[in-house]
Amino acid sequence: MKFFVDSADTAEIRDLAATGLVDGVTTNPSLIAKSGRPFLDVIAEICAIVGGPVSAEVAATDHETMLAEGRKLAGLASNVAVKVPLTPDGLRTCKALSDDGVAVNVTLCFSAGQALLAAKAGAAFVSPFAGRLDDIGHDGMALIRDICAIYANYDDLRTSVLAASVRGPAHVIEAARAGAHVATVPPGVLRQLFRHPLTDAGLEAFLADWRKTGQSIL
Ligand code: G3P
């Protein structure tokens, strides 16, 4: 499973990328607004930090303008994945950009039927929002499982399932169990994945015993 960071905070992204475990980044207009910085600058900077796909979302809702925005975003760096919403115009734009060789991430996916359409439109990624479904009393992970199972029926299908709106480590584990190709995780959730209290306690005990030996490795 690949890990993307769901953030437009370049300091956080740089810090996490140093672990060598970050395969890409996703942003959205809300994350860009939170950064308080110019969109195009932020995307160009992230693309220089992380070699993998960096999702940058169009802001228009009509096909012609989405296409123009998508082409401009794709021109920023070779690893930009243009993000379009799962609307008829978004999917039309996805098809046009994909036909031109641009990677497209179809976002705001909330049903398996929508995911089928995204795949048919040639999306490189489809982003089902697990957490937002949970928020309204639905089962977000059931959707991820459904999409993974459906996509697995078709050998020629090239769309990766990108589990989005991830709220905690349990979502990541469930998405991996379902076979999602990617999880995009907020920085805090990625940090949580590293941690376990028994790791901390065990390390403390090992280091205390090591100090008693009076030895050093270097
Ligand atoms: O970037 C898309 C998605 O991950 C947003 O998540 O937490 O705003 O529902 P959230």
Side-chain angles (χ1 to χ4, degrees), residues 20-212:
L21 303 178
V22 172
D23 301 299
V25 172
T26 52
T27 66
N28 62 40
S30 303
L31 293 169
I32 294 295
K34 196 172 157 196
S35 80
R37 297 184 51 203
F39 181 30
L40 303 187
D41 291 359
V42 173
I43 296 300
E45 192 178 330
I46 297 172
C47 286
I49 300 169
V50 176
V54 174
S55 290
E57 188 160 342
V58 299
T61 54
D62 67 285
H63 168 65
E64 297 301 335
T65 320
M66 273 191 208
L67 193 56
E69 288 182 350
R71 286 187 174 137
K72 179 165 181 175
L73 293 171
L76 291 175
S78 59
N79 55 331
V80 166
V82 175
K83 215 172 178 187
V84 301
L86 210 155
T87 61
D89 282 60
L91 291 183
R92 188 176 161 201
T93 306
C94 173
K95 178 85 172 74
L97 290 171
S98 301
D99 286 350
D100 284 352
V102 174
V104 179
N105 177 357
V106 176
T107 189
L108 291 166
C109 172
F110 292 96
S111 78
Q114 289 181 319
L116 274 172
L117 292 178
K120 206 164 172 56
F125 304 98
V126 65
S127 293
F129 277 29
R132 292 194 193 185
L133 279 171
D134 291 354
D135 290 346
I136 60 160
H138 290 233
D139 184 349
M141 279 300 141
L143 174 62
I144 306 276
R145 284 193 294 276
D146 250 7
I147 298 172
C148 289
I150 291 167
Y151 279 12
N153 290 335
Y154 300 95
D155 289 340
D156 58 337
L157 208 150
R158 294 283 168 264
T159 306
S160 292
V161 179
L162 193 166
S165 189
V166 160
R167 299 286 162 75
H171 267 164
V172 179
I173 294 158
E174 273 304 303
R177 192 172 282 133
H181 307 88
V182 188
T184 189
V185 291
V189 174
L190 189 50
R191 291 184 201 288
Q192 275 181 304
L193 278 169
F194 282 89
R195 299 188 62 88
H196 194 285
L198 289 179
T199 304
D200 298 339
L203 181 59
E204 201 178 310
F206 283 155
L207 292 178
D209 287 340
W210 176 248
R211 278 192 294 274
K212 286 181 210 158

